[in-house]
Amino acid sequence: MRVHDLKKKSGTRFKTNYQQALGIQTYGEDNLYPQTFRNIVAASSTASECADRFADFIEGNGFREITFSEYTVNRKGETADDIHSLVCRDMADFNGVALHVNYNIYGEIVELHHIPFENCRMVESDDNGYVSKIAVHPDWTGQKTRKGRAIQVKKENIDYIDVFNPLKSVVLSQIEAAGGIEYYKGQVLWVSMAGKDTYPTGKGDRVVTEMSTDEGLANVKYRNVRNNFFPGSIIFTKRGSNITYDNEGNEVKVEDDDDSFTDTLLQLQGDTNCGKIMEVTLENEEEKPEVVPLNSQNYDKEFTVTDSSVVERIYSAYGQEPWYCIRVGKVGFSGDILEDAFEYYNSIVCKQQRLIERTFARIFHYWYEVANPSMDFSVQPLKYVRNAAVSNNNI
């Protein structure tokens, strides 16, 4: 089959359009790709586990330089390690990071803040292909509230901040154009693993269908347990009439109310009522009740193959085959195997770690004081600790 023939089956993961009203490049057709992707990951137990492990290994044990890791970088009192932890989470989810810097009147960086990557959008590039500003909104879905009111996605609620360019001449001209240092919004260093000025896809984007399937399988299992168990058996009787007597002793027939039967049946559904027996009383003694067993269909076996293949693909997308093999019992559970798994996965995340290291180095090269004399922004990798005694000896 020719590659040309496959175009009907394959397509781009998301499209980038220009939204003139806001002056931005949309992140997906609805401009909500990162929000939607994060929700899909969160809804899948397997994907959430893999994404958390991916973020933990990217973060490692924090910056190798202890003094720098404890260095305060903004007026909120956040340290370099605090910012690093937030950045690693974004890198794990979206393959991108965004950092905001403030300058003093001398054009030196004096403050560093983390911006959630999903809150950033690029403005349209100019004739030279240069993206000059990053548009930042607290919530592009428009659902977040402030003082009890939703923050609508309007131009007046968006901060358009200059992209990172630490040249003093550029910074001072931007400060002057803003009307002074008190009105200057600083700059945003926006970095993408997909390349310069390109929206990235998430690490697990290639298995987003499997993630959604994983959520669906969990829903089936939940409904199977909570709603699909009926009474072990039920006794059927012929509908009759209640017999009462009037003041003169004559029989009076009153038709039964059938709602009580339905209410009782509903109460017998669910896992906590499984195996109960419902009894229905006959009005006429000659009517023999009919007992019929109820066998509800259990779907667990039907989805066993699908479940295992979905989990395997998600683990594979995050490069976590060693943990999958341990999970399904392909290899034993031992300290040596886990130590090898840690070493293997540290090599998987090194590309993301190096990008973050370079990002911090770019910023602190223009810091107003020497915050990290060694200029070592490397990260301590995670290591498997066999027991508490070993841990105490390493302190």
Side-chain angles (χ1 to χ4, degrees):
M1 181 179 289
R2 296 177 303 170
V3 173
H4 177 76
D5 297 331
L6 295 175
K7 67 179 182 179
K8 295 182 180 179
K9 298 182 180 181
S10 304
T12 56
R13 299 305 290 180
F14 63 84
K15 294 182 180 180
T16 299
N17 302 317
Y18 175 64
Q19 198 170 97
Q20 188 173 5
L22 303 177
I24 62 169
Q25 300 180 51
T26 61
Y27 202 160
E29 292 184 81
D30 59 355
N31 195 34
L32 295 176
Y33 170 82
Q35 284 79 9
T36 303
F37 179 75
R38 175 166 277 180
N39 290 339
I40 292 174
V41 172
S44 167
S45 60
T46 305
S48 297
E49 178 186 346
C50 292
D52 288 344
R53 183 181 290 116
F54 188 48
D56 290 341
F57 272 82
I58 293 175
E59 182 180 356
N61 286 319
F63 288 112
R64 195 182 301 273
E65 187 65 49
I66 302 299
T67 304
F68 174 70
S69 68
E70 299 172 349
Y71 181 78
T72 303
V73 296
N74 57 43
R75 68 192 73 180
K76 296 179 182 178
E78 293 178 312
T79 64
D81 241 6
D82 294 331
I83 302 297
H84 178 256
S85 178
L86 297 171
V87 163
C88 291
R89 181 77 251 184
D90 283 349
M91 179 63 76
D93 288 339
F94 309 116
N95 277 325
V97 300
L99 293 171
H100 175 263
V101 295
N102 281 323
Y103 291 85
N104 58 21
I105 57 174
Y106 303 107
E108 300 169 327
I109 300 176
V110 295
E111 203 169 25
L112 172 65
H113 293 272
H114 164 261
I115 301 178
F117 190 78
E118 65 267 29
N119 292 356
C120 298
R121 300 293 185 271
M122 294 183 292
V123 301
E124 190 179 29
S125 56
D126 58 20
D127 294 338
N128 297 320
Y130 180 70
V131 175
S132 60
K133 293 181 183 292
I134 299 295
V136 181
H137 189 277
D139 180 18
W140 290 96
T141 65
Q143 297 177 356
K144 189 174 183 178
T145 60
R146 185 176 292 166
K147 295 182 180 179
R149 294 183 178 181
I151 307 174
Q152 298 181 351
V153 183
K154 296 182 177 180
K155 214 165 187 177
E156 54 266 29
N157 294 330
I158 299 174
D159 288 323
Y160 295 87
I161 306 175
D162 294 309
V163 298
F164 186 72
N165 189 340
L167 293 178
K168 283 192 176 182
S169 58
V170 174
V171 175
L172 295 177
S173 65
Q174 290 176 351
I175 294 175
E176 183 179 357
I181 191 69
E182 62 271 23
Y183 302 107
Y184 184 50
K185 295 182 179 179
Q187 296 177 345
V188 173
L189 177 54
W190 188 89
V191 183
S192 167
M193 290 283 290
K196 183 175 175 59
D197 299 336
T198 304
Y199 287 127
T201 57
K203 175 68 173 177
D205 182 83
R206 70 194 72 176
V207 289
V208 69
T209 305
E210 281 78 3
M211 292 180 186
S212 186
T213 303
D214 190 42
E215 177 191 3
L217 290 171
N219 290 336
V220 169
K221 293 176 182 177
Y222 172 80
R223 294 187 64 84
N224 192 29
V225 172
R226 291 296 188 185
N227 302 319
N228 212 30
F229 288 108
F230 288 91
S233 61
I234 183 169
I235 302 176
F236 285 95
T237 62
K238 183 178 180 180
R239 182 176 179 178
S241 302
N242 291 328
I243 300 176
T244 60
Y245 299 90
D246 58 15
N247 294 332
E248 298 179 359
N250 299 320
E251 293 184 357
V252 178
K253 293 184 178 181
V254 180
E255 294 296 329
D256 291 335
D257 185 4
D258 202 34
D259 291 341
S260 59
F261 180 85
T262 304
D263 294 339
T264 304
L265 180 62
L266 292 174
Q267 293 174 6
L268 290 174
Q269 287 182 306
D271 55 315
T272 57
N273 298 307
C274 179
K276 288 187 176 181
I277 298 177
M278 181 173 67
E279 179 185 1
V280 179
T281 305
L282 284 174
E283 191 63 39
N284 300 318
E285 294 183 359
E286 67 273 11
E287 294 284 348
K288 182 179 181 181
E290 180 184 3
V291 180
V292 178
L294 294 179
N295 298 319
S296 59
Q297 186 173 357
N298 191 305
Y299 295 100
D300 286 347
K301 293 182 180 180
E302 301 291 334
F303 294 105
T304 300
V305 176
T306 303
D307 194 7
S308 60
S309 65
V310 163
V311 171
E312 182 179 6
R313 288 176 182 272
I314 294 175
Y315 270 83
S316 177
Y318 282 91
Q320 298 178 10
E321 289 88 347
W323 279 273
Y324 176 77
C325 291
I326 294 173
R327 172 176 176 162
V328 299
K330 288 185 177 181
V331 295
F333 190 88
S334 67
D336 291 336
I337 291 176
L338 285 175
E339 191 171 0
D340 292 340
F342 270 64
E343 185 177 351
Y344 163 78
Y345 208 56
N346 280 323
S347 66
I348 295 294
V349 302
C350 64
K351 185 176 181 180
Q352 286 78 11
Q353 288 178 337
R354 288 199 306 269
L355 180 60
I356 294 174
E357 292 169 14
R358 293 196 301 270
T359 301
F360 273 85
R362 289 176 63 185
I363 291 174
F364 283 94
H365 181 75
Y366 297 94
W367 199 257
Y368 75 102
E369 65 179 6
V370 180
N372 187 355
S374 67
M375 292 301 288
D376 180 12
F377 299 97
S378 61
V379 174
Q380 280 188 329
L382 285 181
K383 291 185 178 180
Y384 175 69
V385 180
R386 291 177 179 268
N387 53 52
V390 175
S391 178
N392 293 332
N393 291 334
N394 291 335
I395 296 178

